[in-house]
Amino acid sequence: QGAINVEICGSTTETGAMFLNSSDAAPASYTSINIYPLADGLTISGPTVTGRGLIELNGADNVTIDGDNPNSAGTNRNLTIQNTAANTVTFTSVIRIALNTSTVPSANNVAIRNLNLLGSATGRNISGATSSSGTENTTYGILASSGASTTNATTAPNPIASTVTVIGSGATATNLTIQNNSMTTTARAVAIQGSAVTVFPGLLITNNVIGNATAGAADQVYSTGITAQGSADGVIRGNTVYFEGWIGANTSGTNSAINLGGVSPVGTFTIEKNMVMRARNNNPGTFPAFGVNLAGGSNHVVQNNFILDVRNDQTAGTGGFDTSFGALGIRVGSGTGHKIYHNSVHLFGALPGATSTDLTAALAIQSTSQTGMDVRNNIFSNLLT
């Protein structure tokens, strides 16, 4: 009750998922909760079962989890949070925001910043990790979606069991901020999954480092760096994204560094000043690799982004010459009225394989029905061989 500071003074090992109820879940009655470390190099770790997050905000408002130690100079990532479940356990997450439209309909003014977030899907950038139902596609760093129990406000969230789980109208997570975090060893680093534009107003995903800078390393972000839907004014700004995996799929936001609308085709976003440094699909079946993928929603603004090293493997050539399967820097797959300004896209290197059925493009527009777009002042370079 009241205004609460949770000061972390040492590393802890948890036995399973921990959930924080809302301030309306009596006897709780708090105005804010701030969680932060008082020393450098601290870790919160522990395993969860299928479908659960290590830290779950059960419709909790006014919560800040900040990994910066205020006793150290500057702004640093002094706190690591790691889900240590086995890499065969699906639908885990590190931090989860769970909502419903009845008992816990809000998680407003939540900030997650300055953290090192490690998911449970270790070592999945391997040739055997090709399944859309495996941990290489179904684990999360930060997940905001449905799943809160409708029994009462103090019951633990239900496990999730699908990558397309969404939260709809009647629930809100206003002003959700995800800032300056480092994330890896997870399929989907950030997944904001609303099915109405009223769910995530004021969404800001900014200055995060997503994935592994070392190409070919076994630990990566394997499926999607950022996927977002459910906001009318969401901003994805200043992030550095690497993704690399072997997933043989082209649905539900897979195989994209930054994806809009792949889970739910709802929302309008600004994507700006991001650096997509690698987007690779190593599956030899000519499955997709996208830098920025506009898969749903209309009137998006994509501006001042750098996108490079986008490639797939065309050895088997099963995908075909198609904008749903190629190596594409910016893919406009859905919607109208998009504005694409001042981006630099550079595709380079040799694609594995010798078939002629693979499409590569710095910019690809799916259909002539996608009208009202304004594409100007970009640099598009495709030197893939």
Side-chain angles (χ1 to χ4, degrees):
Q1 297 184 346
I4 301 168
N5 291 327
V6 179
E7 298 174 339
I8 301 170
C9 301
S11 296
T12 66
T13 300
E14 308 300 330
T15 58
M18 305 166 284
F19 65 97
L20 173 65
N21 293 327
S22 72
S23 63
D24 296 324
S29 178
Y30 57 84
T31 55
S32 64
I33 296 179
N34 295 308
I35 303 170
Y36 54 89
L38 286 186
D40 298 347
L42 300 184
T43 299
I44 299 171
S45 63
T48 67
V49 298
T50 299
R52 297 295 301 277
L54 183 61
I55 296 176
E56 297 180 318
L57 304 185
N58 193 30
D61 299 292
N62 303 313
V63 176
T64 297
I65 306 175
D66 191 337
D68 179 45
N69 174 12
N71 298 316
S72 296
T75 300
N76 307 286
R77 302 185 189 111
N78 302 119
L79 178 64
T80 297
I81 305 176
Q82 181 177 13
N83 191 319
T84 58
N87 69 359
T88 55
V89 179
T90 54
F91 295 104
T92 64
S93 55
V94 183
I95 298 176
R96 177 187 175 196
I97 299 171
L99 294 163
N100 62 37
T101 57
S102 56
T103 56
V104 283
S106 70
N108 298 324
N109 303 313
V110 170
I112 302 168
R113 59 169 65 106
N114 305 322
L115 299 165
N116 298 305
L117 301 179
L118 301 177
S120 62
T122 55
R124 301 301 288 169
N125 183 31
I126 54 175
S127 60
T130 62
S131 173
S132 60
S133 60
T135 57
E136 60 271 21
N137 189 45
T138 62
T139 53
Y140 299 87
I142 297 172
L143 170 64
S145 185
S146 60
S149 172
T150 57
T151 302
N152 60 63
T154 59
T155 300
N158 297 312
I160 64 164
S162 171
T163 58
V164 294
T165 300
V166 294
I167 182 66
S169 178
T172 62
T174 302
N175 297 328
L176 173 60
T177 298
I178 299 169
Q179 181 178 16
N180 194 38
N181 303 286
S182 171
M183 308 178 220
T184 192
T185 59
T186 188
R188 298 162 181 251
V190 178
I192 309 300
Q193 301 188 176
S195 59
V197 296
T198 54
V199 180
F200 293 103
L203 172 67
L204 177 62
I205 303 170
T206 184
N207 295 335
N208 301 283
V209 178
I210 292 172
N212 190 336
T214 303
D219 289 336
Q220 300 280 349
V221 168
Y222 313 102
S223 177
T224 306
I226 299 169
T227 181
Q229 34 270 301
S231 177
D233 58 355
V235 175
I236 301 171
R237 175 189 296 137
N239 303 282
T240 300
V241 184
Y242 305 84
F243 106 80
E244 182 175 1
W246 294 71
I247 299 169
N250 68 331
T251 58
S252 304
T254 54
N255 294 315
S256 303
I258 299 175
N259 172 278
L260 299 181
V263 176
S264 175
V266 175
T268 298
F269 292 83
T270 296
I271 301 175
E272 63 182 7
K273 302 179 182 178
N274 301 283
M275 297 184 67
V276 174
M277 301 297 290
R278 186 173 64 255
R280 292 190 191 176
N281 190 326
N282 296 321
N283 191 307
T286 315
F287 287 99
F290 304 141
V292 171
N293 183 15
L294 308 184
S298 292
N299 302 310
H300 300 310
V301 177
V302 181
Q303 62 187 8
N304 298 102
N305 301 283
F306 284 86
I307 302 166
L308 58 99
D309 197 9
V310 180
R311 66 182 81 175
N312 62 353
D313 188 318
Q314 60 171 332
T315 299
T318 59
F321 194 87
D322 188 281
T323 53
S324 296
F325 289 93
L328 311 176
I330 298 175
R331 175 181 182 265
V332 184
S334 180
T336 59
H338 304 306
K339 295 177 174 59
I340 301 174
Y341 301 151
H342 307 292
N343 301 283
S344 296
V345 182
H346 181 40
L347 280 57
F348 60 89
L351 293 180
T355 68
S356 59
T357 58
D358 193 27
L359 174 65
T360 70
L363 171 69
I365 299 171
Q366 177 89 0
S367 169
T368 55
S369 66
Q370 291 167 235
T371 57
M373 284 191 290
D374 187 356
V375 182
R376 69 176 76 189
N377 296 330
N378 302 278
I379 299 174
F380 295 137
S381 166
N382 184 357
L383 301 181
L384 282 167
T385 57

